[in-house]
Amino acid sequence: MKLHELSPNKGSNKEAKRVGRGHGSGHGKTAGKGHKGQWARSGGGVKPGFGGGQTKRVMRIPKRGFNNKLFATEYALVNVRDLEKRFEAGAVIDLEAIISCGLIKKPLDGIKILGTGELTKAFTVRAEKFSETAKSKIESAGGTVEVIE
């Protein structure tokens, strides 16, 4: 294939709608803007958030009090069933191991191990948090749980 033989995929390049080019074009006279009115004017339309003359929604919502969203601790979640699939028995599972095997991309504020799924292999798991079911499943399979501070 040569450079001059390349062409875009069928339907990927669309012709621009040419408005105001006479009656025969189908977009003549009012150029698709209808007759008069707010939307037919240059610069017409309404601002974002405008609610048809009533109070804007953003102004109606109460804005008092504290919101913890900015300061909340967010953990990357991993289930024990995923550990069962990805690691061999006796493995030491920590942040680096979990990222390198592709279970999570970013550690956020730490890792929390959850108890969904079954566990038959014994692991040493190091994480910031564990659910009670995850802790019991890891220990009942013969593994150990280490909480990192």
Side-chain angles (χ1 to χ4, degrees):
M1 180 173 281
K2 297 185 178 81
L3 202 57
H4 69 275
E5 295 172 345
L6 291 174
S7 64
N9 290 335
K10 190 167 179 64
S12 67
N13 280 9
K14 225 172 137 188
E15 295 260 334
K17 184 201 283 188
R18 298 187 68 219
V19 295
R21 294 293 183 276
H23 289 286
S25 69
H27 300 291
K29 193 171 177 264
T30 54
K33 287 186 171 269
H35 292 278
K36 301 183 185 173
Q38 188 173 21
W39 296 98
R41 308 289 187 224
S42 167
V46 292
K47 295 176 184 172
F50 181 74
Q54 61 195 2
T55 309
K56 297 174 189 161
R57 182 178 288 145
V58 74
M59 292 176 75
R60 292 196 304 263
I61 296 170
K63 291 168 196 65
R64 293 182 60 234
F66 176 73
N67 185 343
N68 195 38
K69 195 170 186 177
L70 292 172
F71 312 103
T73 334
E74 192 180 352
Y75 292 102
L77 305 175
V78 178
N79 282 300
V80 290
R81 68 171 172 221
D82 301 324
L83 302 179
E84 174 83 18
K85 288 179 196 169
R86 302 270 169 94
F87 294 98
E88 297 299 319
V92 177
I93 303 169
D94 57 0
L95 173 66
E96 289 78 27
I98 291 173
I99 290 175
S100 66
C101 81
L103 277 176
I104 61 169
K105 287 190 171 79
K106 285 193 269 182
L108 303 175
D109 295 323
I111 295 174
K112 182 169 182 176
I113 308 296
L114 303 177
T116 305
E118 294 303 315
L119 194 63
T120 56
K121 302 172 189 170
F123 300 123
T124 301
V125 186
R126 296 185 183 126
E128 279 73 18
K129 282 197 135 272
F130 292 88
S131 71
E132 287 300 317
T133 52
K135 195 181 282 189
S136 65
K137 284 181 182 182
I138 292 168
E139 288 170 349
S140 66
T144 56
V145 170
E146 295 177 20
V147 179
I148 302 169
E149 295 300 322

